[in-house]
Amino acid sequence: MSSKTTSSGNGRGSANPRVTLRTIAEVTGLSLSTVSLSLRGGTTLKQETRDKVAEAAKKLGYIPDRAGVRLRTGKTNVIALVLDGAEDSIDFARQMIQGIGNAIKGTRYHLTVIPEFERHNSAETIRYILDNRTADGVVITHTGPRDKRVQMMIDADFPFVSHGRTEFYTPHPYHDFHSEVFAAMAVERLASKGCKRVMLVIGDDSTTNYQNIVTAFHKATARAGIEARILEGTQGASPAEMRKIGLDLAAEANRPDGIICDSEMRTIALVGGLEEGGRVLGRDLHLIYKQTSGILPTLFPDLDSIREDVFAAGGELTRLLLRRIEGDDAESLQTMAEPQPHWRS
């Protein structure tokens, strides 16, 4: 009778038992405690030793027993990204996740992504993480001035970083796009093209980003001596509704001759309506949009844009969060990303 080899729960056959710390110690000739310390990110070890352990672990296919790690250390080796599911910037989520994933390569951390399609539920997600300690740190996006999630994590002294600023007196780690510079740069560009009536098309008025852009927009248009107008309430508007707004603007006698749009999705629909209404961009009016992907330059190669590098933002948010987990002071973990202008027309 022929014998059969059964697979173990970890997907390896009996001839390939699970790789443990002891396996790595035997292969490298290092002590069990040294291997354990190295895989936990021990900074007291020589870099040569840490590289040796990391290389052996990778070659052997070592997978940490996360349940065991948590029992021994109280750590999960997990960071959680609470991602706003209502984001209307093209490719934002993918680039943010890839940026974070790239930044945790070679570390002991894994990423858990929690999409939130109803923003009011986001605080409950944070409460669950805090109560059950399902992560060692959290990244949140789309912060409001008095964001409840931020307050909860500050009160719990829990490591986190926000993609966006707040108005809390207590400092906390953040990385943010310099939206004030974005607004001022766009207004100055339109003014240089001779625009006299500039409209800002902006969505979510619950975020700090909204307040920063609107304030900077009013200041920049006042400096330039041009008429300012804000098209508000477009958050949640369908592409068809945004296209209709563009069509209506095209028919206005006193329509804007310059438009600044904070979203690629809104830009596509808006341009569709303007062009359907017979308006030619670059002749009848000029438009500048906030760029978060490489898609719109292909669709509208002559439109000016100001780019936010979302992939880089994911990496920077991760760097700040890992430093916060290690105990760095919150005030030293606050950075800004400068807008990148792409003048095409």
Side-chain angles (χ1 to χ4, degrees), residues 79-141:
I79 60 175
L81 168 62
V82 181
L83 189 65
D84 192 304
E87 172 56 44
D88 51 13
S89 292
I90 296 174
D91 218 22
F92 179 93
R94 182 185 69 84
Q95 291 187 76
M96 178 65 70
I97 292 168
Q98 286 188 340
I100 295 174
N102 184 68
I104 60 175
K105 281 182 181 177
T107 74
R108 63 182 182 272
Y109 290 99
H110 303 266
L111 174 65
T112 296
V113 180
I114 308 171
E116 285 293 354
F117 297 99
E118 298 292 338
R119 187 167 297 172
H120 63 271
N121 290 332
S122 195
E124 293 306 312
T125 298
I126 298 300
R127 174 55 60 197
Y128 180 86
I129 294 172
L130 293 176
D131 289 346
N132 297 280
R133 284 301 192 265
T134 55
D136 294 338
V138 172
V139 179
I140 60 173
T141 64

Side-chain angles (χ1 to χ4, degrees), residues 31 43 52 63 67 80 82 95 111 118 126 134 149 162 168 185 187 194 196 202 204 207 230 249-250 259 303 318:
S31 69
T43 56
K52 185 177 183 180
I63 300 174
V82 181
Q95 291 187 76
L111 174 65
E118 298 292 338
I126 298 300
T134 55
R149 302 168 300 171
S162 63
F168 287 103
M185 190 180 288
V187 169
K196 300 297 182 183
I202 187 168
D204 191 354
T207 64
I230 298 179
L249 284 174
I259 295 177
L303 284 187
T318 305

Side-chain angles (χ1 to χ4, degrees), residues 7 13 19 31-32 54-55 62 91 100 124 147 189 201 204 238 242 252 301 313 343:
S7 296
V19 176
S31 69
L32 192 63
E55 183 179 356
Y62 172 70
D91 218 22
I100 295 174
E124 293 306 312
D147 199 296
R189 173 67 169 173
V201 179
D204 191 354
S238 69
M242 283 304 305
E252 284 188 10
W343 306 147

Side-chain angles (χ1 to χ4, degrees), residues 4 20 29-30 32 34 58 71 80 108 127 156 161 180 189 191 242 253 291 307-308 312:
K4 293 183 179 181
T20 66
L30 299 169
L32 192 63
T34 298
K58 183 176 180 180
L71 284 173
R108 63 182 182 272
R127 174 55 60 197
V161 61
E180 298 94 325
R189 173 67 169 173
M242 283 304 305
Q291 180 185 343
R307 180 171 178 258
E308 176 182 10

Side-chain angles (χ1 to χ4, degrees), residues 214-267:
V214 168
T215 300
F217 173 71
H218 282 305
K219 289 181 178 178
T221 50
R223 283 196 303 268
I226 57 181
E227 181 183 328
R229 178 178 167 189
I230 298 179
L231 179 64
E232 300 184 14
T234 60
Q235 176 71 13
S238 69
E241 290 168 334
M242 283 304 305
R243 186 182 181 93
K244 179 61 166 58
I245 290 172
L247 186 60
D248 292 342
L249 284 174
E252 284 188 10
N254 195 38
R255 64 180 176 275
D257 54 9
I259 295 177
I260 302 167
C261 193
D262 74 329
S263 155
E264 289 183 318
M265 292 292 286
R266 281 189 279 277
T267 297

Side-chain angles (χ1 to χ4, degrees), residues 155-201:
D155 291 344
D157 194 24
F158 187 79
F160 76 97
V161 61
S162 63
H163 185 228
R165 287 163 282 172
T166 66
E167 293 179 353
F168 287 103
Y169 178 75
T170 303
H172 65 80
Y174 66 73
H175 177 65
D176 199 7
F177 180 65
H178 209 158
S179 50
E180 298 94 325
V181 174
F182 161 78
M185 190 180 288
V187 169
E188 289 166 6
R189 173 67 169 173
L190 292 175
S192 73
K193 289 172 172 278
C195 295
K196 300 297 182 183
R197 299 180 304 280
V198 175
M199 170 181 282
L200 173 65
V201 179

